[in-house]
Amino acid sequence: RPEKLQEVLALGGAGVQVGTSFAFASESGLSDAAKQEVLTRIANDDLVVYTDPVASPTGFPFKVLELEGSLSVKDKYQERPRVCNLGYLR
């Protein structure tokens, strides 16, 4: 909703987070199967989505969903290789 961005800018904001829009865009690395699973589970009220205050390296909270086989699973997350040499990734 472009009008919301204009509202934020008028209030002195510098921008907005749009992670969900980017995650579901055709250019995203999220597989079509994962996108469909998320949409189906949300429609069936069968998906845990929460706001995580520390998940983002930007320091801003964002939504995280618990999807089996994804990085929301603690063991899977711990196995993830860290490639940032600036220390932003945990």
Side-chain angles (χ1 to χ4, degrees):
R1 298 182 13 207
E3 68 276 5
K4 285 297 188 181
L5 173 58
Q6 293 305 316
E7 184 180 323
V8 168
L9 295 174
L11 292 170
V16 295
Q17 288 188 186
V18 290
T20 302
S21 297
F22 288 141
F24 281 81
S26 59
E27 299 86 357
S28 106
L30 190 60
S31 73
D32 289 341
K35 292 175 191 177
Q36 189 57 53
E37 180 179 354
V38 169
L39 294 174
T40 300
R41 290 185 61 192
I42 287 174
N44 294 327
D45 197 25
D46 182 39
L47 186 65
V48 175
V49 180
Y50 61 94
T51 302
D52 190 322
V54 297
S56 171
T58 66
F60 294 100
F62 63 68
K63 300 293 183 192
V64 175
L65 51 92
E66 294 183 0
L67 190 61
E68 189 61 38
S70 74
L71 293 177
S72 68
V73 178
K74 187 173 183 169
D75 292 341
K76 184 96 169 158
Y77 178 81
Q78 295 299 332
E79 293 171 4
R80 178 180 183 215
R82 304 299 190 259
V83 294
C84 178
N85 63 358
L86 300 176
Y88 296 124
L89 298 177
R90 295 182 259 324

